[in-house]
Amino acid sequence: VDFSLVIIETPLSDVSGREMAIMAANNPGLDVILFAAASQVESLSYSLERYGIHVLGRNASAQEISALLRILRVSQVRIARLEEKNARLLKRLSEERFLCEAKCILALKAGLDEQSAHHYLEKKAMDERISLTDAARIVRREEGN
């Protein structure tokens, strides 16, 4: 079961709610809310904020809880967008690495300079109706041995 929110209400009978919250917060995909006695909210908030744990008093109003849940939802959407962007950048970086390696192979094996190697890869991609990255992979496979 996938979930993204852990809610802990203290006191717990067998373990410290603080420690359990820290363990849960170590999972980067989880948001953690810890409900504690009103007298402990300030000190717990201060000590747990570095873990990204939200501390509320057990007497928190429905409006306060609802506002926190909306903030968490917005944060999750923003994080998802950043993760997508990161994945796109990593893919692009990988493609650039293939391209550079293929150009180096062409420079070593065929004596081409960088510009000529790039032109060779573009022509190969166009002639074979494949992407530039696929052309670079083919060159790496064929010429890299």
Side-chain angles (χ1 to χ4, degrees), residues 15-108:
V15 294
S16 162
R18 181 183 188 283
E19 296 306 315
M20 182 174 278
I22 291 171
M23 282 191 311
N26 281 330
N27 182 329
L30 291 178
D31 288 309
V32 181
I33 300 174
L34 179 70
F35 284 99
S39 61
Q40 297 178 318
V41 169
E42 190 69 31
S43 64
L44 282 173
S45 291
Y46 181 75
S47 67
L48 296 176
E49 70 183 11
R50 66 181 160 166
Y51 300 102
I53 298 170
H54 305 277
V55 181
L56 292 175
R58 281 195 297 266
N59 59 349
S61 71
Q63 290 173 324
E64 290 174 308
I65 296 169
S66 179
L68 177 57
L69 291 175
R70 280 192 305 276
I71 289 169
L72 292 175
R73 196 171 322 122
V74 167
S75 296
Q76 288 171 349
V77 168
R78 294 186 75 191
I79 288 170
R81 284 186 192 147
L82 289 172
E83 286 173 343
E84 287 173 15
K85 182 178 180 181
N86 190 40
R88 283 192 310 270
L89 290 172
L90 287 173
K91 181 181 180 203
R92 192 167 148 202
L93 187 61
S94 175
E95 290 172 351
E96 284 294 320
R97 190 183 82 240
F98 278 119
L99 192 59
C100 287
E101 288 175 3
K103 288 179 192 179
C104 288
I105 289 169
L106 289 170
L108 290 172

Side-chain angles (χ1 to χ4, degrees), residues 112-123:
L112 301 176
D113 62 12
E114 191 272 339
Q115 186 176 5
S116 298
H118 188 82
H119 179 73
Y120 174 87
L121 290 170
E122 285 179 327
K123 183 170 180 356

